[in-house]
Amino acid sequence: MQKPQELITSRQNPLVMLAAKLTERKHREAQGLFRFDGKKLFLEALLHHLPLVAVLLRESAVDAIMDAAGALALPEGCRSVILPDSLFDRISEEKSPEGVMCLSKRLDKIHKIITIDKWREQKFSPSARVLFLESVRDPGNLGTIVRVARAFGVDALVLSADCADIYNSRVLRAAMGTLFHQPIFVIEDFVDAVRHFATHTRVFAATLGAQAVRLGQAVLRPGDAVVVGNEGHGLSPAVIEAATDRIYIPMEPGVESLNAGVAASVLLWELYRGA
């Protein structure tokens, strides 16, 4: 990576103002861009050839970031600039800035906002692992689930439209770069998406109830799908009804529930080891 030659010192510079605005979802959606901070995500972005449009470097960290990048190169047309430490720190989302923030185009080839008709056209192998998420609104939980999904070979994450924004900075940090190569679908007609998928495979709704089977007694196997719900309210009755089966995670008395990230992790591990 070549050392940037451009220095920006004004908070009113259009690129600096854009970087600051991208902390808000409405601006990310309006611009078709997202932003992430930190060396780890920067290096993952270079390795996976993200469509970066700009890289902003903290002046005192330029040499360290350059050394870390080594022979990795920015994509053609990506702008790289240096900011004075004080200006960089003002717009950084990190408590202890590592010295690099990136602006990228949205990853529309692997992260798709999809209609129910387009969803019905999707083709998955008989052994595909699919995880449905309904109303998971905590960005940290969603980022954790993305990371676990990638670790356990999930072929597709299917999110209801009211889940947290996948380009939220907390999602990006928790996912630790796995968001850059995890296929994700976001769909408004979530119940119909579950119902359609259940026409050709078993779909397990993670819920308690008289019909729910204890995890372990119900063995998850390749081709099955799992549905995990909101952190506080779980799955909606309509989604539970759309699934073919119900499953619960056994635990010791006195513990009300696991959070969505932990519950998804347990279920995905069972699905993974059933291969």
Side-chain angles (χ1 to χ4, degrees):
M1 176 179 163
Q2 294 183 339
K3 186 172 183 177
Q5 300 301 311
E6 184 180 0
L7 175 67
I8 294 176
T9 60
S10 172
R11 176 67 174 80
Q12 303 308 312
N13 179 276
L15 180 60
V16 174
M17 294 176 67
L18 175 61
K21 286 181 177 180
L22 291 178
T23 59
E24 297 182 46
R25 182 172 188 168
K26 64 180 181 180
H27 292 298
R28 293 194 292 269
E29 293 178 347
Q31 298 291 334
L33 302 172
F34 69 103
R35 163 197 161 166
F36 48 93
D37 296 24
K39 184 169 66 176
K40 164 70 175 174
L41 292 180
F42 170 57
L43 297 178
E44 287 287 335
L46 295 182
L47 285 168
H48 291 96
H49 307 290
L50 259 65
L52 300 177
V53 298
V55 173
L56 287 65
L57 299 175
R58 192 173 189 261
E59 191 169 20
S60 64
V62 170
D63 290 340
I65 298 299
M66 298 287 296
D67 288 344
L72 295 172
L74 296 176
E76 185 176 354
C78 178
R79 186 176 173 187
S80 61
V81 303
I82 298 172
L83 304 183
D85 289 12
S86 58
L87 177 55
F88 186 98
D89 294 349
R90 283 183 65 188
I91 63 172
S92 176
E93 291 194 290
E94 297 182 299
K95 291 181 179 178
S96 300
E98 292 183 315
V100 58
M101 66 180 69
C102 302
L103 279 57
S104 174
K105 295 178 183 178
R106 294 167 67 95
L107 308 180
D108 293 334
K109 289 185 178 180
I110 62 169
H111 302 156
K112 300 177 181 179
I113 300 173
I114 194 170
T115 65
I116 188 62
D117 290 335
K118 289 294 184 182
W119 171 248
R120 288 171 180 155
E121 295 174 5
Q122 299 301 309
K123 303 297 183 184
F124 295 98
S125 75
S127 60
R129 301 182 184 95
V130 177
L131 174 64
F132 292 86
L133 298 177
E134 184 187 27
S135 306
V136 175
R137 296 188 177 127
D138 181 88
N141 271 338
L142 181 54
T144 296
I145 292 170
V146 171
R147 186 177 181 184
V148 171
R150 194 62 185 168
F152 294 150
V154 168
D155 296 280
L157 276 175
V158 186
L159 278 56
S160 63
D162 60 346
C163 284
D165 178 20
I166 60 173
Y167 296 116
N168 180 288
S169 61
R170 288 178 58 204
V171 174
L172 286 155
R173 284 196 296 271
M176 291 291 287
T178 56
L179 187 76
F180 299 157
H181 44 100
Q182 173 62 52
I184 295 174
F185 297 89
V186 180
I187 187 164
E188 188 75 39
D189 302 306
F190 186 77
V191 175
D192 286 342
V194 174
R195 185 179 293 117
H196 172 72
F197 209 74
T199 61
H200 63 271
T201 191
R202 297 192 302 176
V203 177
F204 287 86
T207 185
L208 295 171
Q211 295 178 303
V213 178
R214 175 189 174 107
L215 181 63
Q217 293 178 339
V219 178
L220 300 178
R221 59 176 183 259
D224 290 338
V226 177
V227 196
V228 173
N230 175 267
E231 294 88 343
H233 305 292
L235 293 171
S236 65
V239 167
I240 295 172
E241 183 62 29
T244 62
D245 297 86
R246 295 151 181 77
I247 196 168
Y248 73 93
I249 301 171
M251 62 189 75
E252 290 295 303
V255 179
E256 182 179 347
S257 64
L258 300 173
N259 73 25
V262 174
S265 299
V266 172
L267 292 166
L268 290 181
W269 163 244
E270 288 294 327
L271 187 57
Y272 183 69
R273 80 187 188 103

